[in-house]
Amino acid sequence: MEKLVIQGGRRLSGTVKASGSKNSALPLMAASLLGDSGEIKLSRIPDLKDIRTFRKLLDYLGAATSYSDNNLSISTSDIRCARAPYELVKQMRASIYVLGPLLARFGRASVSLPGGCAFGPRPIDLHLMAMEKLGACVTIEKGFIEARAQGARLKGATIDFPITTVGATGNTLMAAVLAEGKTTIRNAAVEPEIATLCRFLNAMGGDIRGIGTTTLEISGVESLNAAEFTNIFDRIEAATLLTAGAITGSSITVTDVDPTHLAAVLGKFEETGCKIITDSGAVTLQSPDTLTRTDVIANPFPLFPTDMQAQWIALMTQAEGTSHVIDKIYHERFNHIPELNRLGAHIEIRNNEATVRGPGKLTGTTVMSTDLRASASLVLAGLVAEGVTEVFRIYHLDRGYERIEQKLNSLGAVITRESYQEFA
Ligand code: UD1
């Protein structure tokens, strides 16, 4: 296994680029299953473990894929199988995204249930509810979701989500785009990754209106074509890099960013006293002498993202005063807290609310990654901790951050990647 070894206490400076968005790339790859001819060309696809796993899943289903320099080509004309096996699905919950496209294109899909998860229950009932509304018969058999369209095609319907769900909105879009007739999705997620998926489906020949709003109107088409499409930048990676600047009291610039995707996070940085300068495609963060405590509540877009909550808690360990962090998307997503406390942070959890008492001196030690964003928060804490912090099990981090240590080192951090053996 690999670990990151971080020499803490370095100021950062300079400019670094964000990569393409992982959370957008995965549904785009799933949507490619809908095209029955030609070659789909996706650019700005990050080189990440999750992308490689999803590519394996596409290959398993019978797609032909090739990848170089962040460009991914996918040909799905020869797909011969509509079954996503446990071995691949268990590695990545986003595999559930193949349900909608396989069902829409082949009239049937068999997708393994994703299994365990690092932060609380992550149900898929709303994905299944939407498939049923579109006319599918859905059962769970031997650990697999078995879905079958009742006629030759799915049928358009009105789907009203009781809560905002990115995953189920995406799956429903990919199923409805080939359904017969019109589908309306009410209370649709408005995350940039959903708007991007809509644009890609339209580029393939789909007919989706209301993009970026909570009501999406989809007029089903009979088939979709190949398309060329450029993915969006990774707003969470960009925000994580900016947090690296803020936690080390530095001034840095992150380019290849869409600042409109980051408004809530940038507003919170300003509340801490950081100066934020946005330019088209770049954000500069200038740290204050002392960070001010700032509460956050993670909520659906355009509010503060759940994917930045762990990094924010790390930042608040260095802010003056007591701050409170609540996650309304995943109430129990707090695996990072015991590990941050092992570095010397003072964080308590009560009734799904984290209370962070800062500023406190962090001291390097060995810590364990438990999930993707939790790992990012440990790396951030390691940047400011005195001495050496070793972050173990960084395969979680590698799921979602492209060359993170190289990017941080280019700003002046001192991080090495080393192999180690875990005790049995
Ligand atoms: C969520 C985040 C997304 C983030 C991702 C990974 C939101 C709205 N979504 O997306 O930004 O990138 O985690 O960290 O911030 N739910 C159900 N039944 C379902 C589906 C979801 O009850 O069938 C619930 C979930 O438990 C959760 C909420 O709905 O409380 C939002 O879930 P959803 O957006 O679908 O989760 P992800 O797609 O994982």
Side-chain angles (χ1 to χ4, degrees):
M1 289 218 212
E2 290 187 320
K3 63 182 176 183
L4 288 185
V5 180
I6 305 166
Q7 317 280 336
R10 303 290 201 283
R11 279 274 164 107
L12 307 183
S13 65
T15 298
V16 68
K17 276 185 187 192
S19 299
S21 162
K22 167 185 86 78
N23 287 346
S24 171
L26 296 172
L28 296 181
M29 290 169 77
S32 71
L33 291 166
L34 291 159
D36 57 14
S37 62
E39 194 176 36
I40 287 163
K41 292 188 175 171
L42 300 174
S43 50
R44 208 183 282 144
I45 303 299
D47 187 6
L48 295 172
K49 188 157 164 251
D50 271 6
I51 300 292
R52 291 190 283 277
T53 306
F54 211 98
R55 212 182 131 197
K56 271 192 215 157
L57 178 54
L58 293 180
D59 290 343
Y60 175 91
L61 295 169
T65 62
S66 67
Y67 182 74
S68 76
D69 294 335
N70 298 122
N71 297 310
L72 176 64
S73 300
I74 306 170
S75 167
T76 59
S77 35
D78 290 336
I79 296 270
R80 42 183 190 272
C81 159
R83 183 176 174 86
Y86 178 64
E87 293 68 30
L88 290 169
V89 174
K90 75 169 184 205
Q91 294 181 39
M92 192 181 48
R93 292 186 56 87
S95 310
I96 187 74
Y97 275 130
V98 301
L99 177 66
L102 288 177
L103 181 60
R105 182 165 158 200
F106 299 105
R108 69 197 148 80
S110 174
V111 179
S112 169
L113 287 168
C117 166
F119 48 92
R122 299 182 74 176
I124 53 161
D125 55 316
L126 299 173
H127 298 244
L128 306 187
M129 173 277 277
M131 299 305 129
E132 282 176 343
K133 285 250 164 165
L134 291 169
C137 170
V138 182
T139 55
I140 306 289
E141 286 167 38
K142 297 183 183 165
F144 275 74
I145 305 161
E146 301 288 350
R148 261 177 200 282
Q150 279 161 10
R153 285 168 73 188
L154 293 170
K155 297 232 177 334
T158 295
I159 291 146
D160 203 340
F161 284 119
I163 51 174
T164 305
T165 149
V166 172
T169 301
N171 237 333
T172 309
L173 277 164
M174 292 187 276
V177 73
L178 284 185
E180 199 177 318
K182 193 168 152 183
T183 297
T184 303
I185 306 179
R186 298 218 176 96
N187 197 23
V190 295
E191 268 65 4
E193 294 75 20
I194 290 293
T196 305
L197 174 62
C198 291
R199 290 196 183 95
F200 177 52
L201 291 170
N202 280 355
M204 291 174 79
D207 183 353
I208 303 171
R209 291 170 202 199
I211 297 176
T213 75
T214 54
T215 304
L216 294 169
E217 309 263 346
I218 305 120
S219 300
V221 295
E222 283 192 12
S223 65
L224 293 173
N225 327 307
E228 291 190 15
F229 193 78
T230 303
N231 186 21
I232 53 172
F233 300 117
D234 195 319
R235 62 192 171 106
I236 304 302
E237 186 208 11
T240 304
L241 291 167
L242 290 169
T243 311
I247 202 168
T248 54
S250 312
S251 294
I252 62 162
T253 299
V254 183
T255 65
D256 296 33
V257 176
D258 184 338
T260 64
H261 294 170
L262 280 176
V265 179
L266 298 182
K268 286 292 169 187
F269 276 127
E270 286 177 329
E271 278 185 44
T272 68
C274 290
K275 186 169 180 201
I276 296 291
I277 303 155
T278 55
D279 199 351
S280 58
V283 177
T284 297
L285 175 142
Q286 294 172 352
S287 295
D289 290 339
T290 309
L291 290 164
T292 305
R293 57 162 290 277
T294 303
D295 298 342
V296 301
I297 302 180
N299 259 311
F301 190 83
L303 300 175
F304 193 91
T306 173
D307 278 348
M308 269 303 292
Q309 173 265 101
Q311 300 90 311
W312 198 261
I313 288 179
L315 180 64
M316 286 302 100
T317 65
Q318 301 307 300
E320 187 80 44
T322 299
S323 45
H324 304 276
V325 176
I326 295 173
D327 194 327
K328 293 254 173 129
I329 307 296
Y330 289 113
H331 304 273
E332 296 162 30
R333 190 179 192 180
F334 287 123
N335 291 329
H336 37 292
I337 289 180
E339 296 301 290
L340 289 170
N341 283 343
R342 292 188 61 248
L343 290 168
H346 298 286
I347 312 168
E348 277 174 27
I349 279 279
R350 194 163 295 158
N351 300 328
N352 294 326
E353 175 173 327
T355 302
V356 191
R357 285 176 224 291
K361 189 173 118 185
L362 303 183
T363 309
T365 185
T366 53
V367 284
M368 190 74 84
S369 297
T370 48
D371 65 68
L372 170 55
R373 308 301 169 187
S375 318
S377 81
L378 298 177
V379 172
L380 292 169
L383 291 176
V384 78
E386 193 176 280
V388 177
T389 299
E390 295 187 305
V391 184
F392 283 60
R393 296 198 182 171
I394 52 161
Y395 56 85
H396 292 290
L397 194 70
D398 292 335
R399 283 188 40 224
Y401 288 92
E402 193 175 42
R403 303 187 317 276
I404 182 86
E405 75 274 28
Q406 288 175 33
K407 289 194 184 192
L408 290 170
N409 286 348
S410 76
L411 296 171
V414 180
I415 307 177
T416 52
R417 179 181 285 259
E418 296 177 13
S419 301
Y420 73 99
Q421 287 233 304
E422 283 208 344
F423 293 113

